[in-house]
Amino acid sequence: MFSFTHANTSKTRHRLPGALLSLLLLSAPTAVLAHAGHGNEFEGGKASQPAGEIKVDADTAERLGLKVEPVTRQRLAIGLATTGQIEALPNQMAEVTTPIKGTVVRLLVAPGDTVRAGQAVAVLSSPELEALRVEAIQKRVEAQADLELAQADLKLAQENYNRDRELQAEGAISQRNFLETEKDLRRVQAELRVAQSRLRLSNSAYEARLKQLRARANNEGLVTITAPISGIISDRKFSPGESAEEAGEPLMTILNGSRVWATANIYEKDLAQVAQGQPVRLKVASLPSRTFSGRIAQIGAAVEGETRVVPVRAELGNADGLLKPGTFAEMEILTAQTSEAVLTIPASAVVDVNDHPTVYVQNGSAYQPVEVTLGQTSGGRVEVTQGLFEGDQVVTQRAPQLYAQSLRGGTQPEEETRKVASAEAATQPQVSGVGMPWWLVVPIGGVVAAGAFWAGRRTRPRMVLLRDPEYEGSAYHPDPHQPK
């Protein structure tokens, strides 16, 4: 009810035209509640919704991106919230180094390229390996010559042996001469084996050095460096033509990010709630709508001194490579579940209105702000203990825009108001189904309203709304100042 009183304490009664009062009462906005129980579910009947209903038609709601979801009941997973950082697994990151002093001849990959284990990534020339290669070639040539000579000696010794054996059988030579011939054959056969071994080992020093360096070499003496693991080239330190002054200088890094670690610190007092294998949920700032899952893989063995924390590591799948090492993350270690299903809504539905959590409940084209009491939060959802009912349709996306509009004092977005006005101006209205041009409706309506107003002034006593301490309430009374 509207109440009009004077500023001073005198009982002066104000006059208000009856027709004008009727117009005000008819035009007063009526509250639209989202649910029959909203507004009286708290003790003492205290209203739970702030003032400021917003009306938005379907087209505008779609253009603004409003998303509405029902309030549901479900069990919430309860956990410890902490911050962490993404790290590469130790066995899934490899630094490719220059195996020997030398010059980079060619780089076969670039940062961001995917490589397989054993794939060639760079070509290096090395004076040391070149010297070993030349030495191996020389040894091979010498061993080959010795082998050919040993083969010739063997052929001759074999012929002598065959001849002397026949002669000894005929008694033409003594047994002693035959034994000498047989001895020569055995000596030449041993020399042949030595020559073959020398030929086979002529490259051994060179090949052993290459194996030690985990590299391959071609006929030109260039060393091919291969990838030790499969993954992605994360960085590259050398360019073609640059020289490594010593062995072990970093050439590039290969990172296999198919699985990563999320590291975090847990306070000593919470350590009893954490166990290996517990599930975790993780979010990163670059992907706010995405939740990643994993499990606790390692728990630190000691509590760190002054901070009294224990480091824990969770292992997560990262097949699409979205979790980059070094990225900060919000991590939640799930330790239990609520004993029963509770009312929950997405955390994005809650708007802070003067330190009071508020949500917007849809009722047709109206969005009613409702103050709520929140409970536990888990995985992007929050428990609602008071203020909502199951099935209520709450705005879960763009709720802050509705609040901002309410601060401007309008019940509709201003742009939408202009749209409605334009649409009404472009339409030719009909009255009670009787075809009447719109340009007659407005004048006739104005004449009727004006006539009713002046008739009320001249033929009926004026009524005013009084609010007086002497009365137990307010009522309408004849205006004493009006002439009878």
Side-chain angles (χ1 to χ4, degrees):
M1 178 181 293
F2 286 83
S3 173
F4 298 87
T5 61
H6 198 275
N8 57 36
T9 57
S10 66
K11 300 178 181 178
T12 304
R13 292 169 178 162
H14 291 251
R15 295 186 295 272
L16 186 66
L20 179 58
L21 177 61
S22 300
L23 290 175
L24 287 174
L25 291 174
L26 289 174
S27 63
T30 303
V32 180
L33 298 181
H35 191 285
H38 285 303
N40 60 5
E41 61 267 34
F42 295 112
E43 261 184 36
K46 179 183 176 181
S48 66
Q49 71 274 8
E53 174 186 277
I54 304 297
K55 293 182 179 179
V56 182
D57 65 25
D59 291 339
T60 304
E62 182 178 358
R63 187 172 67 254
L64 292 177
L66 296 183
K67 183 179 179 181
V68 178
E69 296 181 26
V71 179
T72 59
R73 285 188 178 273
Q74 64 183 66
R75 295 179 65 186
L76 287 181
I78 305 170
L80 294 173
T82 182
T83 56
Q85 182 173 334
I86 305 300
E87 294 181 0
L89 291 174
N91 60 350
Q92 296 298 311
M93 182 174 65
E95 190 173 61
V96 181
T97 60
T98 55
I100 197 170
K101 178 181 178 180
T103 302
V104 176
V105 177
R106 288 193 300 275
L107 287 170
L108 307 178
V109 293
D113 289 351
T114 301
V115 297
R116 304 180 311 275
Q119 178 179 334
V121 296
V123 177
L124 187 74
S125 66
S126 169
E128 177 188 344
L129 288 180
E130 180 62 20
L132 286 175
R133 188 181 75 89
V134 171
E135 181 181 353
I137 293 174
Q138 291 175 348
K139 287 182 177 181
R140 185 174 183 82
V141 171
E142 293 174 359
Q144 184 66 38
D146 291 343
L147 177 62
E148 292 175 357
L149 180 59
Q151 289 173 340
D153 290 345
L154 178 60
K155 182 179 179 181
L156 179 59
Q158 187 67 49
E159 291 175 352
N160 291 338
Y161 174 78
N162 293 337
R163 185 195 64 212
D164 288 353
R165 185 174 59 179
E166 292 176 359
L167 291 175
Q168 193 272 338
E170 295 173 357
I173 59 173
S174 64
Q175 180 68 19
R176 182 176 180 178
N177 289 338
F178 174 70
L179 293 176
E180 289 290 338
T181 302
E182 186 178 16
K183 182 180 178 181
D184 288 341
L185 177 62
R186 300 289 184 266
R187 177 182 57 79
V188 172
Q189 287 175 338
E191 290 177 352
L192 177 62
R193 288 193 293 272
V194 170
Q196 290 173 336
S197 178
R198 288 179 61 190
L199 179 63
R200 187 171 57 253
L201 297 175
S202 61
N203 289 334
S204 61
Y206 181 51
E207 292 173 352
R209 183 60 172 144
L210 291 178
K211 186 176 181 180
Q212 180 186 18
L213 300 175
R214 298 179 182 178
R216 299 193 305 262
N218 58 16
N219 294 332
E220 299 176 355
L222 299 177
V223 181
T224 300
I225 303 172
T226 59
I229 64 170
S230 299
I232 297 175
I233 305 297
S234 62
D235 61 6
R236 197 178 69 182
K237 306 293 180 60
F238 275 76
S239 298
E242 292 185 334
S243 297
E245 299 301 326
E246 57 184 15
E249 293 192 23
L251 184 63
M252 62 186 67
T253 302
I254 300 177
L255 179 64
N256 187 338
S258 59
R259 300 198 67 80
V260 294
W261 266 351
T263 63
N265 291 324
I266 301 298
Y267 285 107
E268 180 182 8
K269 64 182 180 64
D270 298 324
L271 190 58
Q273 303 180 52
V274 181
Q276 201 164 4
Q278 278 181 329
V280 301
R281 288 191 295 229
L282 184 138
K283 284 182 173 290
V284 294
S286 57
L287 298 165
S289 61
R290 179 82 178 268
T291 300
F292 300 87
S293 301
R295 292 190 176 273
I296 297 295
Q298 290 184 8
I299 300 176
V303 177
E304 297 182 0
E306 296 181 357
T307 58
R308 311 307 298 170
V309 296
V310 177
V312 297
R313 291 184 175 89
E315 187 171 337
L316 300 92
N318 188 36
D320 47 13
L322 297 177
L323 297 175
K324 309 296 184 184
T327 303
F328 287 105
E330 295 178 359
M331 190 166 74
E332 185 179 18
I333 303 173
L334 307 182
T335 57
Q337 277 192 329
T338 52
S339 58
E340 59 183 19
V342 295
L343 287 179
T344 68
I345 59 174
S348 60
V350 182
V351 181
D352 185 13
V353 178
N354 298 324
D355 294 330
H356 297 287
T358 301
V359 300
Y360 281 88
V361 180
Q362 184 185 33
N363 187 5
S365 63
Y367 296 87
Q368 176 69 40
V370 176
E371 185 179 323
V372 294
T373 303
L374 303 180
Q376 302 174 95
T377 299
S378 176
R381 297 192 72 85
V382 60
E383 176 188 5
V384 179
T385 58
Q386 285 183 317
L388 294 177
F389 298 91
E390 186 174 2
D392 279 348
Q393 300 288 326
V394 299
V395 177
T396 60
Q397 184 171 294
R398 303 291 186 182
Q401 279 74 4
L402 291 177
Y403 174 54
Q405 179 60 37
S406 70
L407 295 179
R408 291 198 290 266
T411 60
Q412 287 190 167
E414 296 172 3
E415 179 183 352
E416 186 59 20
T417 303
R418 290 194 297 269
K419 283 182 58 180
V420 172
S422 299
E424 291 176 351
T427 305
Q428 295 185 359
Q430 301 285 328
V431 179
S432 301
V434 179
M436 180 180 294
W438 65 269
W439 45 271
L440 288 178
V441 174
V442 175
I444 293 175
V447 171
V448 172
F453 176 77
W454 287 106
R457 283 183 58 89
R458 299 182 62 85
T459 63
R460 299 179 61 186
R462 295 173 62 188
M463 306 291 287
V464 295
L465 181 64
L466 300 180
R467 188 169 186 86
D468 195 292
E470 294 181 0
Y471 294 93
E472 293 183 358
S474 300
Y476 289 100
H477 296 274
D479 187 352
H481 298 281
Q482 179 181 1
K484 295 184 180 179

